[in-house]
């Protein structure tokens, strides 16, 4: 009995000790799970990020880079590599690296704008970026970089646009103010009043044309031309453009001739197409000397994806130099400012043509030789080809992006058209 009692007592003591040890181990485990540790925020041996961080970074539009305590790159988005921020597993931009080290040391969020050299270009073009650094746990640092290059370009375009508009409006408005004072001072001289009144009419017409072309340029950029699209006969557009310039051509004894393939049709906005072709013909007449010839010819071109219509406007005018040829489609740019002002030109006509061509899925090009003349060629998809491609895409072929860009609607055959400059 004594032996059995001793064995039972020993077993009870052993069981009690086991229970106490198990309870203590459970408490310690719970405390360790609840206690935040630095190792839980650091990448493991496989370089993984804390749970959820990788998912968040994958949906960010910014270029993202995560650095560890040794400045090694733990995670970087494809955009970060494309911008040249990461090379060989290290952050390649020294100012950003200094920001990351300072943020890791004091935990403060930092932001700065930098100009970085573009990769693969030898022209010294700068890439404008905004870099923001924030701590990610106790050791990791998150770097987010936004590309501001396009935003700065648009802002520069807007500034130039406002400056140019102010200058162009100031000229006729100032002239009208001075001429009105001259009329008042010459109230007792009928001949002077008549002369000044004639000049006022010229300046008023110039101001009206400028305002109207600004409205037209804004409209062709912001409106979707294919919302009211229809098959438009090319010969009707040509006849309308000739009628528009008949008086100007007659005063200079300029012969206007139309030719080419008949019964051609373009799919688009009739008003915008008429304005574009009318601007080309009007420029040809204005920049041609007396007793010369302006020709308008249309033809069909077979190209992959559907036929296109090419309309060429040829003159025997002063021509355009090579350095000016690249800029003739810019707003307010004039090859010959003196001649342009004498003819009432605003410098917006070719910019309107460029926007109309781009919004219809086409293009406008120029060939010119000084002293021999110029040929402006407007190339647009044919009406039947557009409808066929429309059906294949399952919707409108050309979609206005709302910011001056145009694209095809079918994601399987995505095509980007020339992006016109954005108006304010």
């Amino acid at each position: 009995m004594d032996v059995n009692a001793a064995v039972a007592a020993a077993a009870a003591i052993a069981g009690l000790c086991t229970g106490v040890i198990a309870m203590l181990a459970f408490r310690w485990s719970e405390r360790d799970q609840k206690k935040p540790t630095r190792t839980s925020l650091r990448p493991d041996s496989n370089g993984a990020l804390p749970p959820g961080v990788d998912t968040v970074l994958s949906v960010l539009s910014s270029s993202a880079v995560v650095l560890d305590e040794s400045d090694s790159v733990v995670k970087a988005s494809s955009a970060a590599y494309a911008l040249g921020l990461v090379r060989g597993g290290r952050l390649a931009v020294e100012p950003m690296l200094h920001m990351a080290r300072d943020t890791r040391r004091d935990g403060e969020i930092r932001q700065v704008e930098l100009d970085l050299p573009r990769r693969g270009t030898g022209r010294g073009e700068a890439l404008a970026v905004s870099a923001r650094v924030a701590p990610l746990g106790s050791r990791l640092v998150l770097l987010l970089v936004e590309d501001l290059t396009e935003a700065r370009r648009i802002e520069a375009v807007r500034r130039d646009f406002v400056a140019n508009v102010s200058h162009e409006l100031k000229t006729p408005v100032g002239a009208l103010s001075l001429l009105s004072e001259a009329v008042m001072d010459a109230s007792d001289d009928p001949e002077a009043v008549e002369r000044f009144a004639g000049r006022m009419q010229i300046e008023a017409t110039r101001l009206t044309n400028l305002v109207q072309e600004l409205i037209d340029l804004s409209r062709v950029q912001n409106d979707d031309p294919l919302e009211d699209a229809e098959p438009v006969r090319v010969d009707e557009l040509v006849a309308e453009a000739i009628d528009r310039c008949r008086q100007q051509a007659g005063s200079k004894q300029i012969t206007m001739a139309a030719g080419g393939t008949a019964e051609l049709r373009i799919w688009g906005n009739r008003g915008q197409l008429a304005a574009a072709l009318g601007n080309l013909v009007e420029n040809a007449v204005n920049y041609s000397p007396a007793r010369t010839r302006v020709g308008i010819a249309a033809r069909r071109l077979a190209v992959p994806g559907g036929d296109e219509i090419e309309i060429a406007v040829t003159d025997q005018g002063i021509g355009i130099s090579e350095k000016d040829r690249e800029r003739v489609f810019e707003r307010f740019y004039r090859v010959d400012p003196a001649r342009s002002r004498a003819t009432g030109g605003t410098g917006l006509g070719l910019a309107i043509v460029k926007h109309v061509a781009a919004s219809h899925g086409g293009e406008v090009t120029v060939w010119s030789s000084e002293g021999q003349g110029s040929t402006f060629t407007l190339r647009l998809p044919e009406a039947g080809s557009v409808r066929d491609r429309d059906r294949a895409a399952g919707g409108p072929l050309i979609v206005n992006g709302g910011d001056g860009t145009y694209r095809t609607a079918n994601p399987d055959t995505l095509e980007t058209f020339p992006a016109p400059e954005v108006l304010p």
Side-chain angles (χ1 to χ4, degrees):
M1 292 292 296
D2 293 339
V3 174
N4 291 336
V7 171
I13 293 172
L16 180 61
C17 291
T18 302
V20 171
I21 293 173
M23 183 179 66
L24 292 175
F26 178 76
R27 292 289 180 86
W28 286 334
S29 176
E30 279 191 329
R31 185 179 63 181
D32 289 340
Q33 288 179 1
K34 292 180 180 180
K35 178 182 178 181
T37 62
R38 289 186 174 182
T39 56
S40 66
L41 296 174
R42 296 176 60 183
D44 57 20
S45 58
N46 296 324
L49 292 173
V53 174
D54 194 18
T55 303
V56 173
L57 295 182
S58 65
V59 298
L60 290 177
S61 60
S62 307
S63 302
V65 180
V66 179
L67 304 175
D68 62 14
E69 64 272 16
S70 62
D71 293 331
S72 298
V73 175
V74 177
K75 177 73 175 180
S77 64
S78 57
Y81 285 98
L83 290 178
L85 304 179
V86 178
R87 298 175 191 172
R90 309 288 293 185
L91 186 61
V93 183
E94 198 66 25
M96 295 182 186
L97 188 59
H98 290 317
M99 289 173 58
R101 291 169 179 169
D102 293 340
T103 296
R104 186 185 300 110
R105 184 180 64 253
D106 56 26
E108 293 186 5
I109 298 175
R110 290 174 168 80
Q111 184 167 353
V112 68
E113 292 188 3
L114 301 170
D115 290 332
L116 308 178
R118 287 182 183 271
R119 296 184 63 184
T121 62
R123 295 175 295 178
E125 295 180 352
L127 185 71
V129 299
S130 174
R132 185 178 178 88
V133 180
L136 188 64
S138 61
R139 295 294 183 182
L140 299 181
V141 173
L142 173 63
L143 170 66
L144 297 177
V145 179
E146 294 281 353
D147 187 354
L148 303 179
T149 308
E150 183 64 14
R152 286 192 180 180
R153 187 192 71 83
I154 293 174
E155 184 60 30
V157 168
R158 290 180 175 177
R159 286 197 304 268
D160 292 343
F161 177 80
V162 171
N164 287 329
V165 168
S166 301
H167 174 75
E168 295 296 332
L169 289 174
K170 187 188 302 182
T171 301
V173 169
L176 287 172
S177 176
L178 293 174
L179 288 169
S180 63
E181 293 178 5
V183 169
M184 293 179 63
D185 295 338
S187 57
D188 56 348
D189 186 351
E191 292 184 2
V193 169
E194 184 177 357
R195 184 172 67 255
F196 292 142
R199 289 294 307 166
M200 290 177 68
Q201 288 182 340
I202 294 175
E203 296 298 335
T205 300
R206 177 178 297 173
L207 181 59
T208 301
N209 291 340
L210 175 59
V211 172
Q212 184 59 52
E213 290 202 345
L214 285 172
I215 294 172
D216 291 342
L217 184 57
S218 179
R219 182 181 294 119
V220 299
Q221 175 168 324
N222 295 326
D223 293 347
D224 187 348
L226 300 187
E227 286 184 356
D228 301 320
E230 59 179 327
V232 181
R233 290 172 57 95
V234 174
D235 51 3
E236 292 180 357
L237 295 177
V238 172
E240 187 174 335
I242 291 176
D243 287 340
R244 169 177 167 178
C245 305
R246 192 177 300 279
Q247 183 177 358
Q248 296 167 278
S251 64
K252 299 172 65 174
Q253 300 180 13
I254 293 176
T255 302
M256 290 190 294
T261 307
E263 301 297 327
L264 298 177
R265 287 178 172 81
I266 299 172
W267 184 260
N269 184 292
R270 180 184 178 83
Q272 292 189 15
L273 293 172
L277 185 58
N279 286 345
L280 291 180
V281 176
E282 185 175 12
N283 275 359
V285 172
N286 288 337
Y287 285 90
S288 294
R291 293 179 294 277
T292 55
R293 178 186 178 92
V294 171
I296 307 102
R299 63 172 180 165
R300 178 186 291 108
L301 294 177
V303 296
D307 294 344
E308 292 184 343
I309 303 300
E310 185 180 87
I311 307 173
V313 179
T314 303
D315 63 59
Q316 298 173 319
I318 61 175
I320 306 172
S321 66
E322 185 176 355
K323 67 180 181 65
D324 291 324
R325 235 171 283 157
E326 298 180 356
R327 302 190 59 190
V328 292
F329 296 104
E330 295 179 13
R331 293 189 298 267
F332 298 109
Y333 186 79
R334 298 181 175 93
V335 175
D336 186 348
R339 179 185 291 266
S340 180
R341 292 187 184 278
T343 58
T346 62
L348 292 174
L350 291 179
I352 292 175
V353 176
K354 176 184 176 181
H355 281 281
V356 171
S359 64
H360 284 75
E363 63 175 352
V364 59
T365 58
V366 59
W367 171 92
S368 186
S369 178
E370 291 185 88
Q372 298 183 22
S374 305
T375 297
F376 285 85
T377 303
L378 190 60
R379 184 176 293 179
L380 299 165
E382 190 177 15
S385 301
V386 172
R387 286 198 300 270
D388 294 341
R389 290 160 68 183
D390 239 359
R391 296 193 199 101
L397 177 66
I398 311 299
V399 177
N400 188 344
D403 59 353
T405 60
Y406 302 88
R407 59 179 176 80
T408 51
N410 186 358
D412 297 329
T413 58
L414 185 61
E415 180 182 358
T416 302
F417 294 98
E421 294 176 339
V422 179
L423 282 175

